[in-house]
Amino acid sequence: MRRKLVVGNWKMFGRLARNQALLETVRAETRNFTNVDCAVCVPFPYLSQVQSLLNGSRIAWGAQNMSQHEEGAYTGEVAPGMLQEFGCKYVILGHSERRAIYLESDEAVAEKFESAIKSGLTPILCVGETLAERDGGITEQVVARQLDAVIAKSGVQALAKAVVAYEPVWAIGTGKTATPDQAQAVHAFIRQRVAAADGKVAAGLCILYGGSVKPNNAAELFAKVDIDGGLIGGASLVAEDFAAICSAGN
Ligand code: 13P
């Protein structure tokens, strides 16, 4: 039986005082949840703060990107070993905003994925199609390409140590959620694709849905057989909303 996982992606939001208030409330409200794992992925400068606030709690933390390199002359980049020093469990990789705005290729994402696995971090690999791609009927093709790049580089076994997040680009920050059936169909496709390489890895793979998950739609999404939780943007910045979404997974 797969456990549910709810991860907040703060994106480029946060300030010291706000983070503290948010996390103190979320920590208190999720204290008694036993069936759901919760985490927040925060901007790099706040990792130390979040580590002190969440140490000893049920909530894990992580980053939203990292370099594929261990160290070196890479101005502005952050290495996997640095994330480890701040207690990160997770790192989001290949988010559509990274792919679209910072032009991260499937190959670069695969390199980062490989590097995260080697460093003992749990990558949250984001995949998903744009609206044009969905309308063009190539959703599965796009998701397969993004997934296969990682499997080709690291092998299917690496997915046993990773999380996949299906985030249709058209549903991110738009208030347009994929219907539970639309999401389920792609989640099932992802699981089948992995199963073709390794059935056991596929059966254990945690596949999150992301894209306008809110307290009022989380339970319905999480009830689907292949949806193992959520990757939450906007609603993860509102303590009560994030706690309510975690509760839906509990
Ligand atoms: P929203 O929940 O704000 O749509 O963002 C989803 C997302 O991109 C999470 O990574």
Side-chain angles (χ1 to χ4, degrees):
M1 187 55 191
R2 296 184 297 271
R3 277 177 72 77
K4 288 278 193 277
L5 172 65
V6 176
V7 180
N9 173 9
W10 287 7
K11 307 195 178 182
M12 201 177 71
F13 291 99
R15 288 294 185 269
L16 290 169
R18 256 195 270 156
N19 302 345
Q20 180 164 356
L22 172 65
L23 289 178
E24 280 173 355
T25 307
V26 170
R27 185 175 171 158
E29 293 196 7
T30 58
R31 196 177 49 228
N32 297 323
F33 296 174
T34 48
N35 297 318
V36 64
D37 293 322
C38 310
V40 289
C41 290
V42 308
F44 298 129
Y46 297 126
L47 283 171
S48 173
Q49 181 199 20
V50 169
Q51 179 177 33
S52 340
L53 287 168
L54 295 181
N55 232 336
S57 78
R58 296 194 60 264
I59 308 170
W61 59 94
Q64 302 168 11
N65 179 34
M66 61 165 219
S67 169
Q68 58 270 53
H69 304 294
E70 276 173 37
E71 60 184 358
Y74 300 105
T75 302
E77 292 290 289
V78 173
M82 297 174 185
L83 301 185
Q84 278 176 311
E85 285 203 313
F86 290 93
C88 288
K89 177 173 167 77
Y90 296 104
V91 59
I92 297 173
L93 295 177
H95 190 281
S96 65
E97 287 150 18
R98 303 281 333 161
R99 293 179 191 264
I101 307 170
Y102 300 100
L103 308 181
E104 284 189 14
S105 64
D106 290 335
E107 180 53 28
V109 173
E111 282 175 13
K112 291 179 180 203
F113 183 95
E114 169 94 346
S115 181
I117 295 282
K118 280 195 182 145
S119 308
L121 294 159
T122 302
I124 301 176
L125 171 71
C126 299
V127 298
E129 81 288 2
T130 62
L131 187 57
E133 289 163 341
R134 174 162 283 262
D135 289 346
I138 56 167
T139 296
E140 293 189 351
Q141 214 173 301
V142 170
V143 168
R145 192 198 69 223
Q146 294 169 334
L147 197 59
D148 290 354
V150 164
I151 297 176
K153 178 140 199 92
S154 299
V156 70
Q157 291 298 329
L159 285 174
K161 297 183 189 142
V163 170
V164 172
Y166 168 57
E167 298 206 308
V169 179
W170 49 271
I172 295 176
T174 57
K176 274 189 217 157
T177 322
T179 66
D181 286 340
Q182 276 176 325
Q184 165 57 28
V186 181
H187 282 233
F189 170 76
I190 292 170
R191 204 177 299 286
Q192 279 157 20
R193 185 115 191 145
V194 176
D198 189 310
K200 195 155 165 253
V201 172
L205 182 64
C206 177
I207 310 176
L208 307 181
Y209 168 77
S212 300
V213 179
K214 305 290 175 197
N216 65 5
N217 59 24
E220 209 188 347
L221 286 158
F222 297 172
K224 290 291 176 185
V225 60
D226 288 302
I227 301 184
D228 304 310
L231 184 54
I232 319 302
S236 73
L237 301 169
V238 181
E240 292 70 24
D241 287 0
F242 188 61
I245 295 169
C246 291
S247 171
N250 190 39

